[in-house]
Amino acid sequence: MIVAKFGGSSMADADQLKKVKAILNSDSNRQVAVVSAAGKGIHNPVKLTDQLIHIYDLIQAGKDFSNALNEVWQRLDAVVEALDLDFPIHEELSNISKQINQLSYAELVSRGEYLTAHLLASYLKWPMIDAADFLVINSGQIDYQASKQRLMNITKHIEHCVIPGFYGVNAAGKIELLPRGGGDTSGAVVSNLVNAACYENWTDTNGILAVDPRIVDQPTKVNILSYDELQELSYLGVKVFNEEAVQPVRMKQIPIRIMNTNRPELGGTFVVTDKNSVDYKPEVAGIAGKQDQVILTVKQYQLSSHVDSVIALIRLVNNFHLKSTYSLSGDSISFVLSGVDEQKDIQDLVNQINANVNPDNIHVTERIAKVAVVSEAFCNRPRLVGKMIELLEANSIPVQQVIQTSDDIKVVFGVANADYQRAIECLYHEFFRKANVRSMVAVNS
Ligand SMILES: Nc1ncnc2c1ncn2[C@@H]1O[C@H](COP(=O)(O)OP(=O)(O)O)[C@@H](O)[C@H]1O
Ligand SMILES: N[C@@H](CC(=O)OP(=O)(O)O)C(=O)O
């Protein structure tokens, strides 16, 4: 059995739903479709989820929300009309309208996936199984045992179904949302619950691309990834696959395929349980990054042997809820921090470190971009990092910091914000464009 998750871009309008139907019908193993709320598309510049959040905000502010609500209704109605569905959309919408002032944030926002799933189910003539009837989420944690039991009870005699992603139900019986982008996690959890042979994730790019397509025009697609590589790239912000969606499928060693709903023939990115079983292994799996990072280096004589100080430092950084990567050497620890909005934050953190750990020295470098290269090859190609630094410096991009994680899967280079784009282009050119030419020459000779 294949679980196919379709992201918002695949559910954006009637034309997209036609493509989804063709994909599902082209393989009889695709028995479960997990869907996100209608996303951005040619006719709709705003995601349905964001439209519903806007309505909730208007209600809370006591403002008129009738126009915003009308836009949502028209959008959904247009799909029903175009596909000639017999789903009672007006009844559903008027039920929601009647109680809209009493709905919680999660109840209102989850109606995006709920209604979108109903539209697809009606189009396919498959049953729709509401995630609120089986997916148990307590404070963000999935209860696999309870969810499996409930799902098995519902699906005993069902061959196909459509399931809305992004939400479930908590112990108190209330709708609970996953974090934004959580549709990927729903698809992964359902794959786990039904022991899927494959988890397909359908989106609007040709798979995982070697770099963000907003930085490099039409980057090459990555054909094969390991779970670790995918997890790292997702953690680094490769938006196409949610970081939290890796673990549920990894637990059961279910392969993942990330594919383009608009170009299914391209085959997408395949995430395999054992990358060693595959012949073609490029040096680098992907490149990702972010600007406006802060590097915080704390120096103290023989720091690495003072475990209490190291733990205290990590805890202090965590208390600030900043996303961080760190590397520890004999006398110092360096953190690359994301999400530092205010100068005040960093000063508070420095003050707390001084008060609690009293180190020899603290050094802060701001306006840094992190450029992260993900590759399983780092562990057996130790000179690869040096080659990358030489390449950047030969292109007049000074590398201010290098952090290599202890699992040898990722190297993060700190460069000036102004050099961000060029650093990514330069690494991409060397490890993907030139590598492609090299492999073509090898094949042809
Ligand atoms: N390395 C990358 N590979 C593929 N897509 C990426 C990458 N980095 C950023 N993206 C962006 O992620 C988007 C897809 O993610 P998302 O909007 O969540 O899709 P969906 O609506 O299908 O769930 C792409 O349109 C692309 O702009
Ligand atoms: N609709 C939700 C959940 C989701 O995963 O959407 P998408 O698959 O379009 O990223 C959101 O916008 O966050």
Side-chain angles (χ1 to χ4, degrees):
M1 179 190 295
I2 294 173
V3 171
K5 181 260 173 176
F6 293 90
S9 53
S10 308
M11 305 300 294
D13 51 40
D15 287 339
Q16 290 303 91
L17 260 69
K18 287 181 189 166
K19 294 178 193 168
V20 169
K21 184 177 187 172
I23 289 166
L24 289 168
N25 286 343
S26 67
D27 186 338
S28 59
N29 291 316
R30 294 190 176 118
Q31 290 171 267
V32 180
V34 177
V35 303
S36 292
K40 288 183 198 171
I42 301 172
H43 314 292
N44 300 290
V46 183
K47 282 177 147 201
L48 179 53
T49 302
D50 290 313
Q51 291 179 291
L52 293 166
I53 292 173
H54 179 54
I55 292 171
Y56 183 82
D57 289 342
L58 290 173
I59 296 173
Q60 295 309 303
K63 293 189 179 156
D64 178 25
F65 57 87
S66 51
N67 284 344
L69 192 59
N70 263 340
E71 278 173 25
V72 168
W73 290 177
Q74 278 168 16
R75 171 179 196 167
L76 295 169
D77 207 22
V79 178
V80 172
E81 288 263 315
L83 300 177
D84 196 18
L85 306 180
D86 57 12
F87 176 66
I89 185 82
H90 293 281
E91 223 173 278
E92 287 280 351
L93 296 181
S94 83
N95 281 342
I96 295 172
S97 293
K98 270 184 223 151
Q99 37 162 345
I100 201 158
N101 286 305
Q102 280 78 53
L103 295 182
S104 68
Y105 177 84
E107 282 165 344
L108 180 54
V109 174
S110 65
R111 295 309 84 188
E113 324 327 87
Y114 172 86
L115 292 167
T116 306
H118 264 303
L119 297 185
L120 180 66
S122 164
Y123 187 39
L124 296 168
K125 303 206 184 325
W126 288 9
M128 186 282 217
I129 295 185
D130 193 347
D133 291 335
F134 76 90
L135 190 62
V136 184
I137 310 170
N138 287 314
S139 312
Q141 298 300 312
I142 311 283
D143 182 335
Y144 282 88
Q145 232 183 339
S147 305
K148 183 161 185 147
Q149 195 58 51
R150 292 187 188 191
L151 183 62
M152 293 307 135
N153 287 341
I154 303 171
T155 53
K156 252 182 220 152
H157 307 292
I158 290 180
E159 257 187 52
H160 295 96
C161 63
V162 179
I163 296 173
F166 188 42
Y167 72 94
V169 67
N170 62 23
K174 295 273 177 214
I175 298 260
E176 185 163 325
L177 292 179
L178 291 166
R180 290 301 302 267
D184 291 339
T185 311
S186 299
V189 170
V190 170
S191 300
N192 175 304
L193 299 179
V194 302
N195 290 321
C198 182
Y199 173 35
E200 292 182 348
N201 192 286
W202 292 86
T203 181
D204 65 346
T205 60
N206 294 340
I208 300 280
L209 305 174
V211 287
D212 189 328
R214 289 162 298 189
I215 297 178
V216 170
D217 190 32
Q218 299 191 345
T220 175
K221 160 172 82 81
V222 181
N223 290 325
I224 305 279
L225 283 177
S226 67
Y227 288 124
D228 280 336
E229 288 169 339
L230 176 65
Q231 178 102 51
E232 260 325 318
L233 288 168
S234 305
Y235 170 80
L236 290 163
V238 170
K239 207 176 143 258
V240 69
F241 198 82
N242 197 299
E243 188 194 343
E244 277 152 32
V246 181
Q247 193 52 17
V249 275
R250 181 185 210 149
M251 273 153 66
K252 292 265 179 91
Q253 296 284 292
I254 298 167
I256 309 167
R257 226 178 231 288
I258 300 165
M259 279 182 288
N260 191 343
T261 299
N262 307 310
R263 302 284 310 274
E265 72 284 1
L266 294 181
T269 297
F270 203 18
V271 183
V272 289
T273 51
D274 178 13
K275 211 175 162 190
N276 289 326
S277 63
V278 181
D279 281 345
Y280 174 64
K281 285 192 252 351
E283 275 179 312
V284 167
I287 303 165
K290 247 187 204 127
Q291 285 174 286
D292 295 320
Q293 311 288 296
V294 171
I295 299 178
L296 177 92
T297 303
V298 182
K299 289 198 173 170
Q300 189 181 324
Y301 180 60
Q302 291 188 332
L303 175 68
S304 60
S305 41
H306 292 107
V307 179
D308 289 351
S309 300
V310 174
I311 293 173
L313 285 163
I314 295 171
R315 208 167 267 148
L316 284 169
V317 170
N318 276 351
N319 288 348
F320 275 73
H321 301 291
L322 300 169
K323 218 171 175 182
S324 68
T325 312
Y326 67 87
S327 76
L328 179 64
S329 60
D331 294 337
S332 72
I333 185 164
S334 282
F335 295 89
V336 179
L337 306 171
S338 296
V340 185
D341 289 337
E342 302 200 10
Q343 180 70 33
K344 190 180 151 292
D345 262 6
I346 204 73
Q347 196 48 53
D348 281 355
L349 179 56
V350 169
N351 292 344
Q352 290 198 24
I353 292 175
N354 275 324
N356 289 280
V357 183
N358 191 22
D360 299 336
N361 175 276
I362 301 179
H363 191 259
V364 176
T365 318
E366 290 176 278
R367 284 179 288 280
I368 288 286
K370 75 172 174 196
V371 173
V373 182
V374 173
S375 170
E376 282 200 332
F378 286 129
C379 57
N380 40 28
R381 296 278 316 278
R383 266 180 280 170
L384 206 52
V385 180
K387 187 174 156 187
M388 289 174 184
I389 297 172
E390 271 170 29
L391 179 76
L392 292 170
E393 302 217 316
N395 282 276
S396 311
I397 302 171
V399 177
Q400 310 198 13
Q401 184 90 21
V402 181
I403 293 186
Q404 184 160 7
T405 51
S406 52
D407 55 5
D408 266 344
I409 186 132
K410 168 176 77 178
V411 174
V412 181
F413 301 106
V415 301
N417 263 348
D419 289 331
Y420 176 64
Q421 172 127 6
R422 264 187 339 109
I424 290 197
E425 282 168 350
C426 183
L427 290 164
Y428 173 73
H429 187 75
E430 180 68 26
F431 290 96
F432 287 94
R433 282 258 188 275
K434 277 202 199 162
N436 268 351
V437 173
R438 282 197 295 270
S439 67
M440 274 160 62
V441 170
V443 169
N444 292 333
S445 57

